[in-house]
Amino acid sequence: MLDAFSRSVVSADASTSALSGADINTLKGFVAEGNRRLDAVNAIASNASCMVSDAVAGMICENQGLIQAGGNCYPNRRMAACLRDAEIILRYVTYALLAGDASVLDDRCLNGLKETYAALGVPTTSTVRAVQIMKAQAAAHIKDTPSEAFAGAKLRKMGAIVTEDRCASLVAEASSYFDRVIAALS
Ligand SMILES: CCC1=C(C)/C(=C/C2=NC(=C\c3[nH]c(/C=C4\NC(=O)[C@H](C)[C@H]4CC)c(C)c3CCC(=O)O)/C(CCC(=O)O)=C2C)NC1=O
């Protein structure tokens, strides 16, 4: 498992070179923006159970065969496994966002997941749909702009001091980790 720092070391070592000025500048940025990164991680982590249940509920709403006999969220044992998997995926996305590197997500969560799902008959298109919903939720929570139309009575704002660009780079980075999950399952 690598983070932004160890990743620079591994890359430099692979070409037997010292850390370049550009590497150091990237890491300087990583440190300088560290508090925003922690806020972004917190925005996801502290809303995780609501995000997971909403994403899986949305996925099922759009495809109710999942909870009928023969569907992969039926019976309750599979429903529970599905909710657990969505929670696992979201948790590893937050780890990657904290580390600023996707390796923890790749190595400990995505490696072999597509094959496991194929063996168990877990429909990857449905999993991808749940992941897409979590990606949209994460963007809203990081920007701290959850929509009243979608959230209703459950609307919860972090109230963090959000900068003018509403953490666009962290939204993009988090989105890239969700895209990585989608790519690994597709
Ligand atoms: C730490 C990393 C890690 C991951 C990622 C992981 C995934 C994982 N999901 C599994 C099962 C499963 N995963 C699902 C998931 C779903 N079914 C659906 O219809 C939806 C589309 C989807 C939820 C979004 C289901 C239903 C099962 C049980 C399938 C079965 O036993 O028939 C299994 C088989 C063993 C088990 O049931 O626990 C694994 C290993 N386990 C891990 O340790």
Side-chain angles (χ1 to χ4, degrees), residues 56 59 66 71-73 77-79 81-86 88-89 91-92 108-110 113 116-117 120-128 130:
V56 172
M59 172 197 79
L66 285 166
N72 204 265
C73 288
R77 178 187 67 78
R78 287 204 188 87
M79 180 76 248
C82 178
L83 285 161
R84 178 208 60 195
D85 282 13
I88 292 173
I89 290 170
R91 187 160 56 81
Y92 279 97
R108 300 193 192 182
C109 180
L110 301 181
L113 189 57
T116 304
Y117 279 178
L120 291 167
V122 174
T124 47
T125 45
S126 295
T127 310
V128 163

PDB file of all heavy atoms in Angstrom, residues 56 59 66 71-73 77-79 81-86 88-89 91-92 108-110 113 116-117 120-128 130, ligand 1:
ATOM      1  N   VAL A  56     -27.882   1.771  -2.314  1.00  0.00           N
ATOM      2  CA  VAL A  56     -28.405   0.423  -2.565  1.00  0.00           C
ATOM      3  C   VAL A  56     -29.925   0.479  -2.745  1.00  0.00           C
ATOM      4  O   VAL A  56     -30.488  -0.184  -3.622  1.00  0.00           O
ATOM      5  CB  VAL A  56     -27.981  -0.547  -1.437  1.00  0.00           C
ATOM      6  CG1 VAL A  56     -28.677  -1.890  -1.580  1.00  0.00           C
ATOM      7  CG2 VAL A  56     -26.464  -0.740  -1.464  1.00  0.00           C
ATOM      8  N   MET A  59     -30.516   1.734  -6.247  1.00  0.00           N
ATOM      9  CA  MET A  59     -30.211   0.670  -7.214  1.00  0.00           C
ATOM     10  C   MET A  59     -31.388  -0.312  -7.304  1.00  0.00           C
ATOM     11  O   MET A  59     -31.783  -0.721  -8.394  1.00  0.00           O
ATOM     12  CB  MET A  59     -28.934  -0.048  -6.747  1.00  0.00           C
ATOM     13  CG  MET A  59     -28.562  -1.297  -7.509  1.00  0.00           C
ATOM     14  SD  MET A  59     -27.361  -2.294  -6.586  1.00  0.00           S
ATOM     15  CE  MET A  59     -28.423  -3.119  -5.391  1.00  0.00           C
ATOM     16  N   LEU A  66     -34.091  -7.397  -8.335  1.00  0.00           N
ATOM     17  CA  LEU A  66     -33.005  -7.745  -7.417  1.00  0.00           C
ATOM     18  C   LEU A  66     -33.510  -8.318  -6.096  1.00  0.00           C
ATOM     19  O   LEU A  66     -32.836  -9.141  -5.469  1.00  0.00           O
ATOM     20  CB  LEU A  66     -32.132  -6.508  -7.133  1.00  0.00           C
ATOM     21  CG  LEU A  66     -31.184  -6.057  -8.248  1.00  0.00           C
ATOM     22  CD1 LEU A  66     -30.661  -4.650  -7.957  1.00  0.00           C
ATOM     23  CD2 LEU A  66     -30.023  -7.041  -8.390  1.00  0.00           C
ATOM     24  N   GLY A  71     -33.275 -12.917  -7.676  1.00  0.00           N
ATOM     25  CA  GLY A  71     -32.478 -11.686  -7.698  1.00  0.00           C
ATOM     26  C   GLY A  71     -31.309 -11.809  -6.728  1.00  0.00           C
ATOM     27  O   GLY A  71     -31.372 -12.565  -5.759  1.00  0.00           O
ATOM     28  N   ASN A  72     -30.246 -11.049  -6.987  1.00  0.00           N
ATOM     29  CA  ASN A  72     -29.040 -11.237  -6.162  1.00  0.00           C
ATOM     30  C   ASN A  72     -29.086 -10.517  -4.819  1.00  0.00           C
ATOM     31  O   ASN A  72     -28.191 -10.672  -3.993  1.00  0.00           O
ATOM     32  CB  ASN A  72     -27.784 -10.875  -6.964  1.00  0.00           C
ATOM     33  CG  ASN A  72     -26.564 -11.570  -6.411  1.00  0.00           C
ATOM     34  OD1 ASN A  72     -25.821 -11.004  -5.609  1.00  0.00           O
ATOM     35  ND2 ASN A  72     -26.367 -12.834  -6.767  1.00  0.00           N
ATOM     36  N   CYS A  73     -30.131  -9.734  -4.552  1.00  0.00           N
ATOM     37  CA  CYS A  73     -30.311  -9.167  -3.206  1.00  0.00           C
ATOM     38  C   CYS A  73     -31.380  -9.943  -2.438  1.00  0.00           C
ATOM     39  O   CYS A  73     -31.895  -9.476  -1.417  1.00  0.00           O
ATOM     40  CB  CYS A  73     -30.682  -7.685  -3.272  1.00  0.00           C
ATOM     41  SG  CYS A  73     -29.318  -6.642  -3.775  1.00  0.00           S
ATOM     42  N   ARG A  77     -30.012 -12.626   3.419  1.00  0.00           N
ATOM     43  CA  ARG A  77     -28.573 -12.884   3.537  1.00  0.00           C
ATOM     44  C   ARG A  77     -27.825 -12.151   2.413  1.00  0.00           C
ATOM     45  O   ARG A  77     -26.778 -11.535   2.642  1.00  0.00           O
ATOM     46  CB  ARG A  77     -28.301 -14.392   3.452  1.00  0.00           C
ATOM     47  CG  ARG A  77     -26.824 -14.758   3.529  1.00  0.00           C
ATOM     48  CD  ARG A  77     -26.584 -16.243   3.275  1.00  0.00           C
ATOM     49  NE  ARG A  77     -26.880 -16.655   1.914  1.00  0.00           N
ATOM     50  CZ  ARG A  77     -26.079 -16.438   0.865  1.00  0.00           C
ATOM     51  NH1 ARG A  77     -24.929 -15.792   1.015  1.00  0.00           N
ATOM     52  NH2 ARG A  77     -26.427 -16.852  -0.334  1.00  0.00           N
ATOM     53  N   ARG A  78     -28.379 -12.205   1.195  1.00  0.00           N
ATOM     54  CA  ARG A  78     -27.705 -11.524   0.079  1.00  0.00           C
ATOM     55  C   ARG A  78     -27.874 -10.008   0.169  1.00  0.00           C
ATOM     56  O   ARG A  78     -26.968  -9.255  -0.175  1.00  0.00           O
ATOM     57  CB  ARG A  78     -28.231 -12.028  -1.264  1.00  0.00           C
ATOM     58  CG  ARG A  78     -27.760 -13.427  -1.598  1.00  0.00           C
ATOM     59  CD  ARG A  78     -27.794 -13.667  -3.100  1.00  0.00           C
ATOM     60  NE  ARG A  78     -27.514 -15.072  -3.381  1.00  0.00           N
ATOM     61  CZ  ARG A  78     -28.437 -16.033  -3.402  1.00  0.00           C
ATOM     62  NH1 ARG A  78     -29.699 -15.739  -3.173  1.00  0.00           N
ATOM     63  NH2 ARG A  78     -28.093 -17.272  -3.651  1.00  0.00           N
ATOM     64  N   MET A  79     -29.032  -9.571   0.638  1.00  0.00           N
ATOM     65  CA  MET A  79     -29.234  -8.123   0.824  1.00  0.00           C
ATOM     66  C   MET A  79     -28.163  -7.587   1.771  1.00  0.00           C
ATOM     67  O   MET A  79     -27.545  -6.540   1.529  1.00  0.00           O
ATOM     68  CB  MET A  79     -30.637  -7.890   1.423  1.00  0.00           C
ATOM     69  CG  MET A  79     -31.001  -6.459   1.664  1.00  0.00           C
ATOM     70  SD  MET A  79     -31.423  -5.606   0.141  1.00  0.00           S
ATOM     71  CE  MET A  79     -30.063  -4.506   0.042  1.00  0.00           C
ATOM     72  N   ALA A  81     -25.235  -8.933   2.398  1.00  0.00           N
ATOM     73  CA  ALA A  81     -23.907  -8.997   1.765  1.00  0.00           C
ATOM     74  C   ALA A  81     -23.733  -7.816   0.814  1.00  0.00           C
ATOM     75  O   ALA A  81     -22.647  -7.231   0.712  1.00  0.00           O
ATOM     76  CB  ALA A  81     -23.748 -10.317   1.013  1.00  0.00           C
ATOM     77  N   CYS A  82     -24.808  -7.443   0.134  1.00  0.00           N
ATOM     78  CA  CYS A  82     -24.737  -6.338  -0.813  1.00  0.00           C
ATOM     79  C   CYS A  82     -24.473  -5.010  -0.082  1.00  0.00           C
ATOM     80  O   CYS A  82     -23.595  -4.248  -0.472  1.00  0.00           O
ATOM     81  CB  CYS A  82     -26.038  -6.270  -1.610  1.00  0.00           C
ATOM     82  SG  CYS A  82     -26.065  -4.888  -2.767  1.00  0.00           S
ATOM     83  N   LEU A  83     -25.239  -4.774   0.988  1.00  0.00           N
ATOM     84  CA  LEU A  83     -25.017  -3.544   1.768  1.00  0.00           C
ATOM     85  C   LEU A  83     -23.597  -3.510   2.312  1.00  0.00           C
ATOM     86  O   LEU A  83     -22.920  -2.482   2.289  1.00  0.00           O
ATOM     87  CB  LEU A  83     -26.023  -3.465   2.927  1.00  0.00           C
ATOM     88  CG  LEU A  83     -27.450  -3.079   2.523  1.00  0.00           C
ATOM     89  CD1 LEU A  83     -28.431  -3.470   3.610  1.00  0.00           C
ATOM     90  CD2 LEU A  83     -27.543  -1.584   2.228  1.00  0.00           C
ATOM     91  N   ARG A  84     -23.143  -4.660   2.780  1.00  0.00           N
ATOM     92  CA  ARG A  84     -21.768  -4.742   3.313  1.00  0.00           C
ATOM     93  C   ARG A  84     -20.751  -4.418   2.214  1.00  0.00           C
ATOM     94  O   ARG A  84     -19.797  -3.671   2.443  1.00  0.00           O
ATOM     95  CB  ARG A  84     -21.532  -6.151   3.874  1.00  0.00           C
ATOM     96  CG  ARG A  84     -20.134  -6.380   4.404  1.00  0.00           C
ATOM     97  CD  ARG A  84     -19.729  -7.839   4.298  1.00  0.00           C
ATOM     98  NE  ARG A  84     -19.748  -8.286   2.914  1.00  0.00           N
ATOM     99  CZ  ARG A  84     -19.727  -9.550   2.516  1.00  0.00           C
ATOM    100  NH1 ARG A  84     -19.706 -10.513   3.406  1.00  0.00           N
ATOM    101  NH2 ARG A  84     -19.744  -9.867   1.237  1.00  0.00           N
ATOM    102  N   ASP A  85     -20.956  -4.968   1.015  1.00  0.00           N
ATOM    103  CA  ASP A  85     -20.009  -4.711  -0.080  1.00  0.00           C
ATOM    104  C   ASP A  85     -19.967  -3.220  -0.435  1.00  0.00           C
ATOM    105  O   ASP A  85     -18.893  -2.662  -0.672  1.00  0.00           O
ATOM    106  CB  ASP A  85     -20.370  -5.517  -1.330  1.00  0.00           C
ATOM    107  CG  ASP A  85     -19.935  -6.979  -1.231  1.00  0.00           C
ATOM    108  OD1 ASP A  85     -19.589  -7.416  -0.120  1.00  0.00           O
ATOM    109  OD2 ASP A  85     -19.944  -7.663  -2.278  1.00  0.00           O
ATOM    110  N   ALA A  86     -21.144  -2.581  -0.480  1.00  0.00           N
ATOM    111  CA  ALA A  86     -21.175  -1.151  -0.822  1.00  0.00           C
ATOM    112  C   ALA A  86     -20.404  -0.363   0.246  1.00  0.00           C
ATOM    113  O   ALA A  86     -19.662   0.578  -0.062  1.00  0.00           O
ATOM    114  CB  ALA A  86     -22.617  -0.658  -0.931  1.00  0.00           C
ATOM    115  N   ILE A  88     -17.940  -1.573   2.109  1.00  0.00           N
ATOM    116  CA  ILE A  88     -16.509  -1.877   1.934  1.00  0.00           C
ATOM    117  C   ILE A  88     -15.929  -0.983   0.836  1.00  0.00           C
ATOM    118  O   ILE A  88     -14.872  -0.362   1.003  1.00  0.00           O
ATOM    119  CB  ILE A  88     -16.289  -3.359   1.547  1.00  0.00           C
ATOM    120  CG1 ILE A  88     -16.645  -4.300   2.708  1.00  0.00           C
ATOM    121  CG2 ILE A  88     -14.843  -3.594   1.108  1.00  0.00           C
ATOM    122  CD1 ILE A  88     -16.604  -5.792   2.344  1.00  0.00           C
ATOM    123  N   ILE A  89     -16.627  -0.912  -0.301  1.00  0.00           N
ATOM    124  CA  ILE A  89     -16.124  -0.125  -1.435  1.00  0.00           C
ATOM    125  C   ILE A  89     -15.961   1.346  -1.033  1.00  0.00           C
ATOM    126  O   ILE A  89     -14.933   1.963  -1.281  1.00  0.00           O
ATOM    127  CB  ILE A  89     -17.064  -0.281  -2.650  1.00  0.00           C
ATOM    128  CG1 ILE A  89     -16.947  -1.705  -3.215  1.00  0.00           C
ATOM    129  CG2 ILE A  89     -16.767   0.763  -3.728  1.00  0.00           C
ATOM    130  CD1 ILE A  89     -17.999  -2.070  -4.265  1.00  0.00           C
ATOM    131  N   ARG A  91     -15.602   2.565   1.933  1.00  0.00           N
ATOM    132  CA  ARG A  91     -14.529   2.688   2.922  1.00  0.00           C
ATOM    133  C   ARG A  91     -13.162   2.735   2.234  1.00  0.00           C
ATOM    134  O   ARG A  91     -12.317   3.580   2.548  1.00  0.00           O
ATOM    135  CB  ARG A  91     -14.617   1.493   3.887  1.00  0.00           C
ATOM    136  CG  ARG A  91     -13.697   1.551   5.069  1.00  0.00           C
ATOM    137  CD  ARG A  91     -14.178   0.623   6.184  1.00  0.00           C
ATOM    138  NE  ARG A  91     -14.351  -0.776   5.778  1.00  0.00           N
ATOM    139  CZ  ARG A  91     -13.356  -1.662   5.682  1.00  0.00           C
ATOM    140  NH1 ARG A  91     -12.127  -1.305   5.973  1.00  0.00           N
ATOM    141  NH2 ARG A  91     -13.605  -2.904   5.309  1.00  0.00           N
ATOM    142  N   TYR A  92     -12.939   1.856   1.257  1.00  0.00           N
ATOM    143  CA  TYR A  92     -11.645   1.861   0.567  1.00  0.00           C
ATOM    144  C   TYR A  92     -11.452   3.111  -0.284  1.00  0.00           C
ATOM    145  O   TYR A  92     -10.324   3.586  -0.447  1.00  0.00           O
ATOM    146  CB  TYR A  92     -11.437   0.563  -0.228  1.00  0.00           C
ATOM    147  CG  TYR A  92     -10.954  -0.545   0.684  1.00  0.00           C
ATOM    148  CD1 TYR A  92     -11.831  -1.473   1.213  1.00  0.00           C
ATOM    149  CD2 TYR A  92      -9.622  -0.596   1.080  1.00  0.00           C
ATOM    150  CE1 TYR A  92     -11.397  -2.449   2.106  1.00  0.00           C
ATOM    151  CE2 TYR A  92      -9.175  -1.570   1.961  1.00  0.00           C
ATOM    152  CZ  TYR A  92     -10.071  -2.490   2.467  1.00  0.00           C
ATOM    153  OH  TYR A  92      -9.625  -3.439   3.350  1.00  0.00           O
ATOM    154  N   ARG A 108      -6.456  -4.100  -1.919  1.00  0.00           N
ATOM    155  CA  ARG A 108      -7.221  -4.750  -0.852  1.00  0.00           C
ATOM    156  C   ARG A 108      -8.704  -4.866  -1.141  1.00  0.00           C
ATOM    157  O   ARG A 108      -9.420  -5.555  -0.396  1.00  0.00           O
ATOM    158  CB  ARG A 108      -7.021  -3.994   0.465  1.00  0.00           C
ATOM    159  CG  ARG A 108      -5.569  -3.985   0.844  1.00  0.00           C
ATOM    160  CD  ARG A 108      -5.362  -3.528   2.259  1.00  0.00           C
ATOM    161  NE  ARG A 108      -3.955  -3.267   2.489  1.00  0.00           N
ATOM    162  CZ  ARG A 108      -3.456  -2.888   3.646  1.00  0.00           C
ATOM    163  NH1 ARG A 108      -4.258  -2.704   4.676  1.00  0.00           N
ATOM    164  NH2 ARG A 108      -2.165  -2.682   3.772  1.00  0.00           N
ATOM    165  N   CYS A 109      -9.184  -4.183  -2.150  1.00  0.00           N
ATOM    166  CA  CYS A 109     -10.622  -4.245  -2.415  1.00  0.00           C
ATOM    167  C   CYS A 109     -10.926  -4.732  -3.825  1.00  0.00           C
ATOM    168  O   CYS A 109     -11.740  -5.628  -4.015  1.00  0.00           O
ATOM    169  CB  CYS A 109     -11.232  -2.868  -2.168  1.00  0.00           C
ATOM    170  SG  CYS A 109     -13.004  -2.784  -2.453  1.00  0.00           S
ATOM    171  N   LEU A 110     -10.284  -4.161  -4.826  1.00  0.00           N
ATOM    172  CA  LEU A 110     -10.687  -4.438  -6.212  1.00  0.00           C
ATOM    173  C   LEU A 110     -10.025  -5.671  -6.812  1.00  0.00           C
ATOM    174  O   LEU A 110     -10.571  -6.281  -7.720  1.00  0.00           O
ATOM    175  CB  LEU A 110     -10.398  -3.211  -7.091  1.00  0.00           C
ATOM    176  CG  LEU A 110     -11.122  -1.929  -6.654  1.00  0.00           C
ATOM    177  CD1 LEU A 110     -10.791  -0.785  -7.600  1.00  0.00           C
ATOM    178  CD2 LEU A 110     -12.628  -2.154  -6.587  1.00  0.00           C
ATOM    179  N   LEU A 113     -12.113  -8.808  -7.465  1.00  0.00           N
ATOM    180  CA  LEU A 113     -13.534  -8.617  -7.152  1.00  0.00           C
ATOM    181  C   LEU A 113     -14.425  -8.998  -8.334  1.00  0.00           C
ATOM    182  O   LEU A 113     -15.462  -9.638  -8.166  1.00  0.00           O
ATOM    183  CB  LEU A 113     -13.787  -7.163  -6.723  1.00  0.00           C
ATOM    184  CG  LEU A 113     -15.187  -6.877  -6.167  1.00  0.00           C
ATOM    185  CD1 LEU A 113     -15.505  -7.765  -4.968  1.00  0.00           C
ATOM    186  CD2 LEU A 113     -15.355  -5.410  -5.780  1.00  0.00           C
ATOM    187  N   THR A 116     -14.716 -12.676  -8.382  1.00  0.00           N
ATOM    188  CA  THR A 116     -15.572 -13.145  -7.278  1.00  0.00           C
ATOM    189  C   THR A 116     -17.034 -12.943  -7.648  1.00  0.00           C
ATOM    190  O   THR A 116     -17.869 -13.840  -7.465  1.00  0.00           O
ATOM    191  CB  THR A 116     -15.264 -12.355  -5.990  1.00  0.00           C
ATOM    192  OG1 THR A 116     -13.870 -12.473  -5.710  1.00  0.00           O
ATOM    193  CG2 THR A 116     -16.059 -12.867  -4.802  1.00  0.00           C
ATOM    194  N   TYR A 117     -17.362 -11.768  -8.173  1.00  0.00           N
ATOM    195  CA  TYR A 117     -18.746 -11.472  -8.539  1.00  0.00           C
ATOM    196  C   TYR A 117     -19.224 -12.395  -9.657  1.00  0.00           C
ATOM    197  O   TYR A 117     -20.356 -12.868  -9.641  1.00  0.00           O
ATOM    198  CB  TYR A 117     -18.879  -9.993  -8.936  1.00  0.00           C
ATOM    199  CG  TYR A 117     -19.005  -9.056  -7.750  1.00  0.00           C
ATOM    200  CD1 TYR A 117     -19.098  -7.682  -7.920  1.00  0.00           C
ATOM    201  CD2 TYR A 117     -19.069  -9.552  -6.442  1.00  0.00           C
ATOM    202  CE1 TYR A 117     -19.230  -6.821  -6.838  1.00  0.00           C
ATOM    203  CE2 TYR A 117     -19.194  -8.700  -5.356  1.00  0.00           C
ATOM    204  CZ  TYR A 117     -19.278  -7.329  -5.555  1.00  0.00           C
ATOM    205  OH  TYR A 117     -19.420  -6.482  -4.484  1.00  0.00           O
ATOM    206  N   LEU A 120     -20.065 -15.736  -8.176  1.00  0.00           N
ATOM    207  CA  LEU A 120     -21.244 -15.754  -7.310  1.00  0.00           C
ATOM    208  C   LEU A 120     -22.510 -15.293  -8.018  1.00  0.00           C
ATOM    209  O   LEU A 120     -23.590 -15.314  -7.441  1.00  0.00           O
ATOM    210  CB  LEU A 120     -21.015 -14.837  -6.103  1.00  0.00           C
ATOM    211  CG  LEU A 120     -19.976 -15.305  -5.083  1.00  0.00           C
ATOM    212  CD1 LEU A 120     -19.635 -14.167  -4.139  1.00  0.00           C
ATOM    213  CD2 LEU A 120     -20.519 -16.495  -4.299  1.00  0.00           C
ATOM    214  N   GLY A 121     -22.370 -14.835  -9.251  1.00  0.00           N
ATOM    215  CA  GLY A 121     -23.543 -14.329  -9.966  1.00  0.00           C
ATOM    216  C   GLY A 121     -24.003 -12.967  -9.478  1.00  0.00           C
ATOM    217  O   GLY A 121     -25.168 -12.605  -9.634  1.00  0.00           O
ATOM    218  N   VAL A 122     -23.103 -12.189  -8.872  1.00  0.00           N
ATOM    219  CA  VAL A 122     -23.464 -10.824  -8.455  1.00  0.00           C
ATOM    220  C   VAL A 122     -23.443  -9.939  -9.708  1.00  0.00           C
ATOM    221  O   VAL A 122     -22.432  -9.882 -10.408  1.00  0.00           O
ATOM    222  CB  VAL A 122     -22.462 -10.268  -7.412  1.00  0.00           C
ATOM    223  CG1 VAL A 122     -22.751  -8.800  -7.102  1.00  0.00           C
ATOM    224  CG2 VAL A 122     -22.496 -11.097  -6.136  1.00  0.00           C
ATOM    225  N   PRO A 123     -24.567  -9.282 -10.031  1.00  0.00           N
ATOM    226  CA  PRO A 123     -24.610  -8.505 -11.273  1.00  0.00           C
ATOM    227  C   PRO A 123     -23.769  -7.229 -11.183  1.00  0.00           C
ATOM    228  O   PRO A 123     -24.030  -6.359 -10.355  1.00  0.00           O
ATOM    229  CB  PRO A 123     -26.103  -8.178 -11.441  1.00  0.00           C
ATOM    230  CG  PRO A 123     -26.680  -8.264 -10.069  1.00  0.00           C
ATOM    231  CD  PRO A 123     -25.836  -9.235  -9.291  1.00  0.00           C
ATOM    232  N   THR A 124     -22.751  -7.146 -12.046  1.00  0.00           N
ATOM    233  CA  THR A 124     -21.854  -5.997 -11.943  1.00  0.00           C
ATOM    234  C   THR A 124     -22.517  -4.707 -12.435  1.00  0.00           C
ATOM    235  O   THR A 124     -22.206  -3.641 -11.927  1.00  0.00           O
ATOM    236  CB  THR A 124     -20.540  -6.230 -12.712  1.00  0.00           C
ATOM    237  OG1 THR A 124     -20.851  -6.743 -13.994  1.00  0.00           O
ATOM    238  CG2 THR A 124     -19.647  -7.202 -11.991  1.00  0.00           C
ATOM    239  N   THR A 125     -23.461  -4.804 -13.377  1.00  0.00           N
ATOM    240  CA  THR A 125     -24.112  -3.560 -13.828  1.00  0.00           C
ATOM    241  C   THR A 125     -24.846  -2.912 -12.660  1.00  0.00           C
ATOM    242  O   THR A 125     -24.835  -1.687 -12.520  1.00  0.00           O
ATOM    243  CB  THR A 125     -25.118  -3.818 -14.971  1.00  0.00           C
ATOM    244  OG1 THR A 125     -25.906  -4.950 -14.637  1.00  0.00           O
ATOM    245  CG2 THR A 125     -24.424  -4.043 -16.297  1.00  0.00           C
ATOM    246  N   SER A 126     -25.479  -3.735 -11.808  1.00  0.00           N
ATOM    247  CA  SER A 126     -26.182  -3.165 -10.655  1.00  0.00           C
ATOM    248  C   SER A 126     -25.188  -2.598  -9.647  1.00  0.00           C
ATOM    249  O   SER A 126     -25.404  -1.524  -9.079  1.00  0.00           O
ATOM    250  CB  SER A 126     -27.046  -4.225  -9.973  1.00  0.00           C
ATOM    251  OG  SER A 126     -28.068  -4.641 -10.834  1.00  0.00           O
ATOM    252  N   THR A 127     -24.089  -3.322  -9.417  1.00  0.00           N
ATOM    253  CA  THR A 127     -23.079  -2.808  -8.486  1.00  0.00           C
ATOM    254  C   THR A 127     -22.559  -1.466  -8.995  1.00  0.00           C
ATOM    255  O   THR A 127     -22.417  -0.508  -8.225  1.00  0.00           O
ATOM    256  CB  THR A 127     -21.911  -3.801  -8.335  1.00  0.00           C
ATOM    257  OG1 THR A 127     -22.434  -5.096  -8.050  1.00  0.00           O
ATOM    258  CG2 THR A 127     -20.977  -3.389  -7.210  1.00  0.00           C
ATOM    259  N   VAL A 128     -22.298  -1.405 -10.298  1.00  0.00           N
ATOM    260  CA  VAL A 128     -21.801  -0.159 -10.892  1.00  0.00           C
ATOM    261  C   VAL A 128     -22.803   0.974 -10.660  1.00  0.00           C
ATOM    262  O   VAL A 128     -22.417   2.097 -10.341  1.00  0.00           O
ATOM    263  CB  VAL A 128     -21.521  -0.353 -12.408  1.00  0.00           C
ATOM    264  CG1 VAL A 128     -21.403   0.976 -13.131  1.00  0.00           C
ATOM    265  CG2 VAL A 128     -20.261  -1.191 -12.602  1.00  0.00           C
ATOM    266  N   ALA A 130     -24.880   1.324  -8.136  1.00  0.00           N
ATOM    267  CA  ALA A 130     -24.771   1.764  -6.743  1.00  0.00           C
ATOM    268  C   ALA A 130     -23.513   2.618  -6.547  1.00  0.00           C
ATOM    269  O   ALA A 130     -23.528   3.622  -5.829  1.00  0.00           O
ATOM    270  CB  ALA A 130     -24.766   0.562  -5.802  1.00  0.00           C
TER     271      ALA A 130
HETATM  272  C1  LIG B   1     -12.216  -6.259   1.771  1.00  0.00           C
HETATM  273  C2  LIG B   1     -12.599  -6.509   0.394  1.00  0.00           C
HETATM  274  C3  LIG B   1     -13.750  -7.453   0.183  1.00  0.00           C
HETATM  275  C4  LIG B   1     -14.710  -7.350  -0.802  1.00  0.00           C
HETATM  276  C5  LIG B   1     -14.841  -6.275  -1.807  1.00  0.00           C
HETATM  277  C6  LIG B   1     -15.569  -8.497  -0.668  1.00  0.00           C
HETATM  278  C7  LIG B   1     -16.629  -8.806  -1.514  1.00  0.00           C
HETATM  279  C8  LIG B   1     -17.414  -9.997  -1.528  1.00  0.00           C
HETATM  280  N1  LIG B   1     -18.753  -9.975  -1.794  1.00  0.00           N
HETATM  281  C9  LIG B   1     -19.251 -11.238  -1.694  1.00  0.00           C
HETATM  282  C10 LIG B   1     -20.599 -11.645  -1.839  1.00  0.00           C
HETATM  283  C11 LIG B   1     -21.753 -10.896  -2.243  1.00  0.00           C
HETATM  284  N2  LIG B   1     -21.803  -9.613  -2.717  1.00  0.00           N
HETATM  285  C12 LIG B   1     -23.100  -9.271  -3.010  1.00  0.00           C
HETATM  286  C13 LIG B   1     -23.396  -7.953  -3.552  1.00  0.00           C
HETATM  287  C14 LIG B   1     -24.442  -7.491  -4.342  1.00  0.00           C
HETATM  288  N3  LIG B   1     -25.489  -8.194  -4.814  1.00  0.00           N
HETATM  289  C15 LIG B   1     -26.287  -7.431  -5.590  1.00  0.00           C
HETATM  290  O1  LIG B   1     -27.310  -7.822  -6.194  1.00  0.00           O
HETATM  291  C16 LIG B   1     -25.816  -6.049  -5.670  1.00  0.00           C
HETATM  292  C17 LIG B   1     -25.626  -5.641  -7.107  1.00  0.00           C
HETATM  293  C18 LIG B   1     -24.515  -6.098  -4.873  1.00  0.00           C
HETATM  294  C19 LIG B   1     -24.449  -4.988  -3.800  1.00  0.00           C
HETATM  295  C20 LIG B   1     -24.226  -3.626  -4.386  1.00  0.00           C
HETATM  296  C21 LIG B   1     -23.915 -10.375  -2.670  1.00  0.00           C
HETATM  297  C22 LIG B   1     -25.434 -10.469  -2.759  1.00  0.00           C
HETATM  298  C23 LIG B   1     -23.071 -11.401  -2.203  1.00  0.00           C
HETATM  299  C24 LIG B   1     -23.471 -12.774  -1.732  1.00  0.00           C
HETATM  300  C25 LIG B   1     -23.675 -13.674  -2.947  1.00  0.00           C
HETATM  301  C26 LIG B   1     -24.025 -15.091  -2.586  1.00  0.00           C
HETATM  302  O2  LIG B   1     -23.518 -15.608  -1.573  1.00  0.00           O
HETATM  303  O3  LIG B   1     -24.800 -15.662  -3.333  1.00  0.00           O
HETATM  304  C27 LIG B   1     -18.171 -12.124  -1.393  1.00  0.00           C
HETATM  305  C28 LIG B   1     -18.277 -13.611  -1.223  1.00  0.00           C
HETATM  306  C29 LIG B   1     -18.147 -14.019   0.241  1.00  0.00           C
HETATM  307  C30 LIG B   1     -19.206 -13.397   1.097  1.00  0.00           C
HETATM  308  O4  LIG B   1     -20.412 -13.571   0.824  1.00  0.00           O
HETATM  309  O5  LIG B   1     -18.805 -12.727   2.052  1.00  0.00           O
HETATM  310  C31 LIG B   1     -17.018 -11.364  -1.315  1.00  0.00           C
HETATM  311  C32 LIG B   1     -15.618 -11.879  -1.070  1.00  0.00           C
HETATM  312  N4  LIG B   1     -15.151  -9.240   0.407  1.00  0.00           N
HETATM  313  C33 LIG B   1     -14.053  -8.636   0.938  1.00  0.00           C
HETATM  314  O6  LIG B   1     -13.420  -9.081   1.923  1.00  0.00           O
END
